[in-house]
Amino acid sequence: MPGHVDRLGETRRPVTTVAPAERGATRIADRVVAKIAGQAAREALGSLPPDAAAPHASVVVRPGAVGSARAGETPAERTESAHVRVSVELDYPSDIGGQCNAVRRHVAERVRALAGMEVPEVAVQVERLHLAQAPGAAQGRTQ
């Protein structure tokens, strides 16, 4: 392939452009999406109980379905979908349903924004409830 000689006397190949469909696609690893989801769950919950483990997530990323392609869209342009399961620990008593809904919404928004994936499902699993201590209450066994 002939090239041109630059000012330093080196031969350069001509710059060619590659069509978007031929460039390939970016693949985001499941564990990266899981980290995004875990961080989003922490953001949605705000403060955690003092001895609670941080929320963690597991993710299954699926390629875009063939039937979901828009007109003129190539396979490389199809949107992947992330099915997310987030495990959390919450204070009790609290609005458990409200907190789970907030986690669901925020995780779906952040994964969509940061990873560019559709999130058709976010399952929130409450691993443990932490009994909230009343201020000044004695620690120990309650009768």
Side-chain angles (χ1 to χ4, degrees):
M1 175 182 247
H4 70 280
V5 178
D6 66 7
R7 62 185 173 94
L8 298 176
E10 295 177 1
T11 304
R12 303 280 185 191
R13 288 193 295 194
V15 177
T16 59
T17 57
V18 179
E22 296 175 9
R23 287 186 209 145
T26 301
R27 170 92 167 85
I28 299 173
D30 295 8
R31 65 188 178 131
V32 172
V33 180
K35 286 186 179 198
I36 292 169
Q39 177 62 37
R42 283 188 286 284
E43 292 169 1
L45 290 174
S47 64
L48 297 172
D51 57 341
H56 58 278
S58 60
V59 174
V60 175
V61 175
R62 296 189 177 122
V66 174
S68 69
R70 292 180 287 255
E73 188 175 55
T74 65
E77 294 171 324
R78 291 190 189 126
T79 305
E80 291 180 318
S81 64
H83 297 263
V84 181
R85 175 175 300 277
V86 180
S87 298
V88 297
E89 295 184 14
L90 303 174
D91 273 329
Y92 182 81
S94 65
D95 181 10
I96 295 170
Q99 289 178 315
C100 290
N101 283 334
V103 167
R104 249 183 237 105
R105 276 192 309 275
H106 196 65
V107 166
E109 288 172 8
R110 297 301 288 163
V111 169
R112 193 175 300 112
L114 296 174
M117 295 180 180
E118 291 301 315
V119 186
E121 173 186 23
V122 177
V124 179
Q125 179 176 338
V126 179
E127 291 276 326
R128 188 171 162 198
L129 295 174
H130 295 266
L131 185 60
Q133 296 290 325
Q139 299 235 348
R141 188 172 171 167
T142 304
Q143 294 186 7

